[in-house]
Amino acid sequence: MSAKYTNTSPWYTTFNNGSYLDLLNIRPVSADADDFLYTIEPQYTNRPDLLAYDLYGEASLWWVFIQRNLDVLQDPIFDFVPGKKIYIPKNSSLRNVLGI
């Protein structure tokens, strides 16, 4: 039986034959003019999932911050520290790109 990933998953477009998941097919999150610059606050230290839940209502969208800020966040957890500035896609723009 093949596992299906939802369209909020970073693995949604990665090939899966039911036995294995292929190499990650990266889902790009493009830069938009309406993205806003955000400074990570202490309550989100090492927790992009909490910020995703607070902003988008879905913790599973944690990976969006990393994809949008590849030049700033090399490690998705340990680079997510207070004071770091990242760009955040607007909720409506992100949902449109992901088809949700």
Side-chain angles (χ1 to χ4, degrees):
M1 174 186 234
S2 173
K4 293 281 274 177
Y5 291 93
T6 65
N7 52 356
T8 60
S9 170
W11 298 281
Y12 181 67
T13 59
T14 301
F15 177 75
N16 178 357
N17 76 353
S19 297
Y20 68 91
L21 186 64
D22 207 351
L23 294 175
L24 176 65
N25 182 20
I26 294 177
R27 298 182 71 186
V29 177
S30 60
D32 289 331
D34 60 355
D35 292 350
F36 62 95
L37 188 61
Y38 173 78
T39 303
I40 298 173
E41 299 173 60
Q43 68 264 31
Y44 299 117
T45 301
N46 302 334
R47 295 299 304 268
D49 58 325
L50 293 180
L51 181 59
Y53 182 79
D54 288 348
L55 292 176
Y56 305 126
E58 296 186 46
S60 62
L61 291 173
W62 63 270
W63 60 273
V64 168
F65 306 129
I66 288 74
Q67 287 303 111
R68 174 59 182 86
N69 297 280
L70 287 172
D71 57 332
V72 178
L73 300 171
Q74 302 303 309
D75 184 292
I77 305 300
F78 295 113
D79 285 347
F80 216 81
V81 294
K84 188 161 282 199
K85 295 181 184 304
I86 61 172
Y87 283 98
I88 304 279
K90 239 172 85 174
N91 193 354
S92 58
S93 301
L94 179 63
R95 292 186 178 283
N96 187 38
V97 167
L98 298 180
I100 53 176

